[in-house]
Amino acid sequence: MWEPIEVPPGLVPPRPITVRAQTIPARGYFAEHAHRWHQIVYATSGVLTVAVEGRSFVISPEQAVWLPTGVRHRVGSLLGAQFRSLWVADEAGRDVAEHPTVFAVQPLLRALILEAVAIEGREGDDGYSGRVATLILDQFRRARPLPGALPWPREDSLVGLCEALYADPADARGPEEWGRELGLSARTLARRFETDIGMSLRSWRRRLRLFRAVELMGGGLSVTETAMQLGYGSTSAFVYAFRTELGSSPQAYMHEQVSGRPRQ
């Protein structure tokens, strides 16, 4: 069961950025709501589930979501996460993005977010916090929009399926086995999956493995250990799949994440 988390009372408009650091427990979530200001949804560790505008997806610490003023949204975490919520004054963030957008988070932007958390609430006369806020917004204006994170279903039966595969990406059960588990025919399951998520179960599972690969390697696992946890028969098979989808080897991709140097 998922447990709701209370939104803090007495929220005041940011000037120009207010940062809130919070731990979201496993299967905890903030019920659907909206703000009178923009919001940046980010996790320094763990994975967040974000539901907005009729779609749902998950993001890792390599990604953040920009939510414009007034957009209704819901945020939670399947396995728990260190949540960083940045509220941005309506005028200050007006030219970042007009619609909910997933952005790539490079090391400089991550460092600035962590610094904003560290100095939140401190009063100073030198304007340092304001300069940090300006740099964060500048980085979001320069950040690379991503076509999408890992899609996540909204239909309850499919949520259970995806949660199971997320917890164990090596699970090899296909549509027939999962259909029997859910009391559906393989064809009905495939149709519902396509309708809810917009891709086949096979395609989603492939994207899930790549998503988890980045998460696991970012947590310190080697390429070989990651390949085994994801259910690949060999390290070379994992490297080939990774290179085919993302255009570089796992080592090169992770080096980019650390260095902040974009691939050509």
Side-chain angles (χ1 to χ4, degrees):
M1 295 291 294
W2 287 68
E3 294 291 336
I5 302 171
E6 292 294 328
V7 176
L11 303 181
V12 297
R15 298 188 301 270
I17 288 182
T18 298
V19 186
R20 184 162 55 91
Q22 187 168 358
T23 298
I24 298 183
R27 296 181 179 273
Y29 73 96
F30 294 99
E32 186 176 81
H33 62 286
H35 301 294
R36 291 179 288 110
W37 47 79
H38 311 287
Q39 182 179 9
I40 297 168
V41 174
Y42 180 65
T44 56
S45 66
V47 171
L48 296 174
T49 303
V50 183
V52 59
E53 293 189 339
R55 60 194 178 109
S56 186
F57 49 86
V58 295
I59 58 169
S60 70
E62 288 74 38
Q63 302 152 344
V65 180
W66 175 268
L67 299 172
T69 299
V71 171
R72 297 194 64 80
H73 58 280
R74 165 178 160 157
V75 178
S77 180
L78 174 61
L79 302 178
Q82 294 299 318
F83 181 42
R84 302 295 180 262
S85 178
L86 285 75
W87 296 328
V88 180
D90 186 60
E91 187 61 35
R94 188 177 298 278
D95 58 346
V96 173
E98 294 182 0
H99 305 286
T101 305
V102 180
F103 286 104
V105 174
Q106 299 291 352
L108 175 57
L109 178 53
R110 173 184 169 86
L112 287 168
I113 292 174
L114 294 179
E115 179 67 1
V117 172
I119 64 176
E120 175 66 25
R122 296 183 188 176
E123 294 296 332
D125 298 325
D126 60 356
Y128 177 66
S129 61
R131 294 195 294 274
V132 170
T134 297
L135 283 171
I136 288 174
L137 293 176
D138 283 345
Q139 284 297 301
F140 268 97
R141 294 184 184 99
R142 296 169 59 88
R144 173 167 47 100
L146 301 175
L150 179 69
W152 202 254
R154 299 178 71 88
E155 184 179 324
D156 288 344
S157 61
L158 299 184
V159 167
L161 185 161
C162 291
E163 287 182 355
L165 291 178
Y166 188 94
D168 182 13
D171 189 326
R173 283 177 289 179
E176 291 78 12
E177 293 90 343
W178 276 110
R180 286 195 294 271
E181 180 83 14
L182 300 174
L184 303 171
S185 69
R187 180 174 297 180
T188 299
L189 174 61
R191 184 176 65 250
R192 287 189 181 180
F193 210 90
E194 288 268 7
T195 300
D196 194 334
I197 295 185
M199 64 175 62
S200 68
L201 175 58
R202 181 178 181 180
S203 296
W204 184 86
R205 191 197 299 264
R206 185 166 59 245
R207 185 177 292 191
L208 165 69
R209 285 180 167 181
L210 291 172
F211 186 92
R212 291 300 313 273
V214 174
E215 180 187 359
L216 293 171
M217 290 187 296
L221 262 64
S222 69
V223 172
T224 298
E225 291 170 329
T226 299
M228 296 303 102
Q229 284 215 21
L230 296 178
Y232 285 93
S234 66
T235 302
S236 59
F238 165 58
V239 172
Y240 176 80
F242 196 98
R243 186 186 297 275
T244 299
E245 292 292 326
L246 297 181
S248 65
S249 69
Q251 296 94 330
Y253 183 90
M254 296 309 297
H255 176 71
E256 174 203 335
Q257 296 300 316
V258 173
S259 67
R261 245 180 269 157
R263 282 171 288 146
Q264 298 299 316

